[in-house]
Amino acid sequence: MSTPAVLYHFAYHPASRTARLALGEAKVDYSEEAVRPWEDDCPLFEMNPSGMPPVLTTTEKNRPLTLCELDAILGWLEDRSKGDFLLPADPAERAEARRLATWFSRRFSDEVDAVLLHERMEKPLLRLGPPDARMLREGREALKSHLTVLEPLAAGREWLAGRRLSQADLIAAGHLSVLDYFGEIAWASWPSLKLWYSKLKSRPCFRPLLGDRFPGVHPAPWYADLDF
């Protein structure tokens, strides 16, 4: 066992959300410590050279262990499981899960999150002024192009990478759930993705995320609705 564990995270950071989903799916007993990584006194700077969440502190065979960022946390969960946890045993599905995970961590983060979440979330937090209409249009067009690729994957498979839940599903949900909070996804246009997302929202690991509330911004009306 690896307890006690503490997850240092920011609730609207996609990788932090994925870590919470994965820890919940693995039924790891942990407590949460909310952090604000843009502040000079953020405790993450003493634990992670990059200063970025999520960071999980725990013990392994009576030794302290600090897992910096999502890849380390997911790898630790995979290593401690008695079988395949969030990486399928099938080599093709395993490769597809890794492909999708890399896609979200690179292209989706750069083309969608860096624009839409900057305008909708970072600007209010850092008091950088109102959202830029041109940047919002560009971010929404980028989001649409990514959803266009994801929709047929959700339509043709039980889960994004294949027949079973994988890292790809939780990573995708970490990103899309933040955008969903701000009402940026028109789910009616993406029926297969909507069905996939509703399955994830119904899992126990997702419940804590549905209680998140961003200061001064109410979530989209359907955000916490399992039958949206």
Side-chain angles (χ1 to χ4, degrees):
M1 297 295 292
S2 301
T3 55
V6 180
L7 180 69
Y8 296 82
H9 74 101
F10 176 58
Y12 302 92
H13 177 239
S16 293
R17 287 194 152 209
T18 300
R20 292 163 70 193
L21 291 172
L23 289 166
E25 194 69 24
K27 297 181 172 58
V28 172
D29 183 19
Y30 74 99
S31 60
E32 297 184 11
E33 186 73 31
V35 295
R36 299 166 72 88
W38 60 90
E39 295 183 345
D40 293 338
D41 60 350
C42 178
L44 289 183
F45 290 106
E46 298 179 2
M47 295 182 280
N48 184 12
S50 75
M52 290 298 296
V55 171
L56 183 74
T57 61
T58 184
T59 57
E60 191 75 38
K61 297 180 180 178
N62 297 318
R63 295 180 299 175
L65 184 63
T66 300
L67 300 160
C68 296
E69 301 186 49
L70 182 60
D71 284 349
I73 295 170
L74 291 177
W76 175 73
L77 290 173
E78 206 68 32
D79 291 341
R80 74 192 288 274
S81 67
K82 295 181 179 179
D84 301 307
F85 175 47
L86 291 172
L87 283 176
D90 179 77
E93 291 191 15
R94 201 176 186 94
E96 179 67 347
R98 286 175 168 148
R99 181 186 75 86
L100 294 171
T102 301
W103 173 20
F104 271 93
S105 67
R106 293 182 181 175
R107 288 196 59 190
F108 196 95
S109 292
D110 291 345
E111 298 172 9
V112 180
D113 294 341
V115 181
L116 284 180
L117 295 186
H118 175 70
E119 297 295 329
R120 298 297 310 273
M121 179 180 69
E122 292 177 0
K123 277 190 170 181
L125 287 171
L126 300 176
R127 299 178 182 178
L128 297 177
D132 182 290
R134 180 180 64 84
M135 296 304 294
L136 286 175
R137 285 195 300 271
E138 290 184 7
R140 287 163 181 162
E141 282 301 310
L143 173 61
K144 181 179 178 181
S145 70
H146 283 272
L147 296 180
T148 298
V149 176
L150 287 171
E151 174 68 12
L153 296 183
R157 301 169 176 175
E158 187 171 350
W159 296 99
L160 289 183
R163 294 167 295 177
R164 54 166 291 187
L165 182 78
S166 74
Q167 290 184 7
D169 299 288
L170 301 191
I171 290 170
H175 289 264
L176 297 181
S177 63
V178 182
L179 294 165
D180 186 48
Y181 183 96
F182 292 100
E184 290 291 344
I185 302 178
W187 292 108
S189 299
W190 317 101
S192 296
L193 272 177
K194 180 180 178 181
L195 178 60
W196 162 82
Y197 190 60
S198 68
K199 288 194 300 182
L200 271 174
K201 283 177 75 173
S202 298
R203 296 179 79 87
C205 70
F206 215 103
R207 291 171 190 161
L209 275 64
L210 298 179
D212 290 341
R213 293 296 179 269
F214 188 83
V217 179
H218 293 293
W222 59 84
Y223 174 71
D225 187 354
L226 300 182
D227 297 317
F228 70 111

